[in-house]
Amino acid sequence: MPAAIPVRPETSATRVLLTGFEPFGGEAVNPSWQAVSLVAAGPPPGVQVTAARLSCVFGTALDELAVAVEQADPDLVLCVGQAGGRTGISVERVAINVDDARIPDNAGRQPVDEPVVADGPAAYFAALPVKACVAAVRAAGIPASVSQTAGTFVCNHVFYGLAHLIATRRPALRGGFVHVPYAPEQVVDRAEPSLPIDTVAQALRAVITAAVTTREDLRVAEGATH
């Protein structure tokens, strides 16, 4: 079951569910959960936040997400995960219907070329103003970009599962996925990019605010050539 951090209720507030992951791959921490916890403790104005920690386990994470959505009844869901090696905040554009694990998850599962949802569509676009979210993070002085792939591990699994839930059960719900770099303590002994957790939390607040206040996305070039 996900660990939930309720924040004081505000009747007129937009309800937001944030999810982060438990540590995986031998790491002691996961910056996604660290940053999500900070945002839950200090949400943007006019926003009521519930935070849920998901297992880094195929299948289980989707069950936990479904429970968290049911309990929080949110207007917006923002799932957050670690993307070691990335230099800034990545707002994901598309989730694909495939699990192809390079490493085992925390339960030892390692699906290869399996669908996230049997007979589901090949992909879903995020139900977020992706480019406006990126612009908001940059306006806060934090590096950010549109990402064209969320990988094929548990992060994409959750992103696709969320998108499928929205498409099939909660059409009024908005949601998407954000990847964040390593925390500084994870890279003390190796040359990898990182961002302080409070900076990541600031970026997530900017994403939430943009997602809540923007209905039509920016039309600016944020594509990739490879």
Side-chain angles (χ1 to χ4, degrees):
M1 295 289 290
I5 301 177
V7 176
R8 61 188 182 282
E10 298 177 23
T11 54
S12 61
T14 299
R15 298 184 304 276
V16 175
L17 172 65
L18 289 181
T19 73
F21 283 101
E22 67 182 357
F24 71 97
E27 298 288 343
V29 298
N30 191 312
S32 68
W33 178 243
Q34 291 176 299
V36 160
S37 300
L38 283 184
V39 177
V47 173
Q48 174 190 334
V49 172
T50 299
R53 191 175 80 160
L54 305 182
S55 302
C56 189
V57 177
F58 289 100
T60 301
L62 291 189
D63 293 339
E64 293 170 345
L65 175 64
V67 169
V69 169
E70 182 67 25
Q71 291 178 344
D73 190 24
D75 304 301
L76 171 72
V77 179
L78 190 65
C79 298
V80 186
Q82 169 190 298
R86 296 194 186 181
T87 58
I89 304 301
S90 301
V91 183
E92 299 295 342
R93 189 199 294 258
V94 61
I96 60 173
N97 192 14
V98 65
D99 292 331
D100 192 1
R102 181 178 58 82
I103 60 173
D105 67 13
N106 283 355
R109 302 172 188 169
Q110 193 171 3
V112 173
D113 297 341
E114 295 181 11
V116 180
V117 176
D119 301 320
Y124 286 110
F125 285 113
L128 284 180
V130 171
K131 294 180 178 180
C133 291
V134 168
V137 176
R138 289 176 181 162
I142 302 165
S145 61
V146 175
S147 171
Q148 317 301 333
T149 174
T152 54
F153 196 52
V154 185
C155 286
N156 176 77
H157 182 81
V158 164
F159 183 16
Y160 186 93
L162 170 63
H164 190 71
L165 183 152
I166 291 171
T168 58
R169 293 167 50 193
R170 285 182 171 258
L173 183 62
R174 307 180 83 206
F177 199 99
V178 173
H179 266 123
V180 303
Y182 284 132
E185 68 239 57
Q186 294 177 279
V187 298
V188 204
D189 57 353
R190 60 187 192 264
E192 293 267 17
S194 67
L195 279 178
I197 296 303
D198 56 353
T199 301
V200 175
Q202 182 184 356
L204 294 179
R205 292 186 188 100
V207 170
I208 291 169
T209 300
V212 166
T213 59
T214 307
R215 287 294 163 178
E216 186 171 341
D217 204 1
L218 302 176
R219 189 171 177 82
V220 295
E222 290 286 355
T225 56
H226 59 80

